[in-house]
Amino acid sequence: MAFKIPNPATVKSRIQLGNGTTFLPGPKDKSIQSLIDHVLEHGYVILPSIYTPAQVQHALDELDRLEQQRSSGPASQGGRNDFEGFKTRRIYALADKSRAFDCFPIHETVMKLNDYFLQPNYLLTSYHTVNIEPGSVVQLMHTDDGLVALPRPRPLMGIGTMISLDEFTETNGATTLIPGSHLWGDDRMPKREEMIPAVMPAGSMLYFLNTVWHSGGANTSNQQRRSLTAQYCQPWIRTYENMTVAMGWEDLDQVPKKLLQLMGFSTHAFMGYVDGRAPRTGVEMRKKRLIEWALNEREKEERKERLSRL
Ligand SMILES: O=C(O)CCC(=O)C(=O)O
């Protein structure tokens, strides 16, 4: 396992954007200079039509299939609170549900942008669908680092992206955001009238810093606004040991509740969720699936053995 202590001198190369955001710049790929400049100035950039129609159609077909199944998750049939929005659908743990969505969060241009704005070994912190259905109202204005109790200017914790599977329009719930709000200090609060919609064709990406004020838009059209959101965080937003994986799941009931909570079988607000649920519920789901898989495998082996004896 590679192990390198960072050089404290690098901290001196931090860049401060207005009163809102600081970050340690990584390597800059010249081919995306204009995209980087746009993000530095406005806090976001739109990457139009970066995915092929075939990739988008495949994702839409899979999304359709998944949304027909209750087993796709607790918000797959409708949002559960103001934040998700009651006339929305979300499928969490997307990478677990289908291989159709794999190409989106690892797009080359996005990786190059992340290489500049985030530190090496950054992580995917959430990846799920957001389907805003007709009649859905505006989402609460927020920044994606809203749970981080640090004053502005504050270090960039991560990057948000919205990937349009349908065209994003002014009426179907395009994400709205406030350009330049990544420069604001804590003294300035957002006003709804400052927001602009991120209008873009299907197959595009809205890429924005975690300090940008934004919200899902209202859908006053009669069409769905289907999208994916991939969010990335700094590599140091994690525990030293990956305890929820290091710990065997067989006998968690034997472990003191407080210790389990400390080890990450817990949430802070919704951070730490598993497939949109509490981590312990997620663990029980995974255990059940593993047992079913093991029984299936054993049955296959036994059948093979029986056939070989004939
Ligand atoms: O759906 C959208 O356009 C934005 C969603 C969002 O910002 C969020 O849920 O954090």
Side-chain angles (χ1 to χ4, degrees):
M1 194 166 57
F3 190 82
K4 204 168 139 215
I5 300 279
N7 176 358
T10 56
V11 172
K12 294 204 181 107
S13 39
R14 281 197 95 77
I15 291 180
Q16 182 166 333
L17 304 174
N19 294 322
T21 316
T22 72
F23 74 104
L24 268 178
K28 189 187 283 182
D29 187 301
K30 292 254 170 1
S31 68
I32 57 155
Q33 179 71 54
S34 61
L35 304 178
I36 289 177
D37 289 345
H38 198 283
V39 178
L40 291 173
E41 187 176 347
H42 303 288
Y44 78 98
V45 68
I46 289 177
L47 313 174
S49 307
I50 57 169
Y51 300 107
T52 66
Q55 287 173 324
V56 172
Q57 193 52 56
H58 187 35
L60 282 173
D61 291 344
E62 276 296 85
L63 178 56
D64 242 22
R65 182 183 68 79
L66 290 169
E67 283 189 346
Q68 281 167 35
Q69 300 169 2
R70 230 161 230 296
S71 57
S72 296
S76 63
Q77 308 304 305
R80 299 161 293 176
N81 51 52
D82 276 347
F83 189 78
E84 287 180 336
F86 292 104
K87 285 198 172 162
T88 69
R89 291 164 183 255
R90 290 178 184 229
I91 298 176
Y92 293 101
L94 200 51
D96 183 54
K97 307 274 162 64
S98 165
R99 298 275 58 84
F101 307 103
D102 290 350
C103 58
F104 295 94
I106 55 174
H107 190 283
E108 197 188 351
T109 309
V110 181
M111 297 295 93
K112 285 180 184 170
L113 278 164
N114 281 354
D115 288 345
Y116 180 68
F117 285 105
L118 297 175
Q119 290 176 245
N121 307 315
Y122 52 81
L123 301 169
L124 190 63
T125 180
S126 69
Y127 186 33
H128 57 85
T129 65
V130 188
N131 178 352
I132 296 192
E133 299 191 299
S136 183
V137 296
V138 283
Q139 191 189 28
L140 182 81
M141 293 186 285
H142 62 280
T143 61
D144 285 337
D145 63 359
L147 291 171
V148 175
L150 285 178
R152 286 179 178 232
R154 65 173 162 244
L156 183 66
M157 299 290 162
I159 295 290
T161 72
M162 293 299 306
I163 298 158
S164 52
L165 296 179
D166 292 307
E167 183 185 6
F168 273 27
T169 70
E170 286 194 22
T171 55
N172 76 355
T175 310
T176 61
L177 59 88
I178 307 184
S181 52
H182 66 306
L183 305 172
W184 297 0
D186 284 323
D187 51 339
R188 185 155 170 194
M189 284 290 113
K191 298 194 187 93
R192 182 64 68 185
E193 58 273 21
E194 294 174 290
M195 297 226 154
I196 60 160
V199 170
M200 53 189 182
S204 305
M205 173 183 277
L206 165 67
Y207 180 98
F208 57 101
L209 304 180
N210 261 186
T211 42
V212 169
W213 284 96
H214 66 281
S215 82
N219 189 345
T220 56
S221 77
N222 56 9
Q223 304 289 321
Q224 299 174 320
R225 190 225 68 180
R226 291 164 294 181
S227 66
L228 310 173
T229 177
Q231 303 188 9
Y232 308 85
C233 71
Q234 297 285 16
W236 35 262
I237 302 185
R238 62 201 299 171
T239 49
Y240 273 100
E241 184 156 8
N242 190 337
M243 301 217 187
T244 48
V245 177
M247 184 73 189
W249 292 349
E250 302 84 354
D251 280 325
L252 288 181
D253 285 338
Q254 306 297 315
V255 185
K257 277 200 168 59
K258 186 66 194 171
L259 189 55
L260 284 179
Q261 183 237 311
L262 290 173
M263 288 195 296
F265 294 89
S266 55
T267 53
H268 170 61
F270 51 85
M271 287 165 112
Y273 66 76
V274 176
D275 200 359
R277 303 168 165 93
R280 280 304 301 278
T281 314
V283 165
E284 294 314 314
M285 274 166 34
R286 296 289 173 261
K287 269 167 65 176
K288 194 161 163 261
R289 202 166 80 180
L290 269 175
I291 291 167
E292 279 165 10
W293 174 82
L295 289 174
N296 222 1
E297 288 297 296
R298 197 170 69 185
E299 206 178 297
K300 270 198 267 174
E301 281 302 309
E302 285 172 358
R303 203 175 315 130
K304 226 175 13 185
E305 214 179 293
R306 276 200 305 274
L307 284 174
S308 71
R309 274 195 253 112
L310 288 178

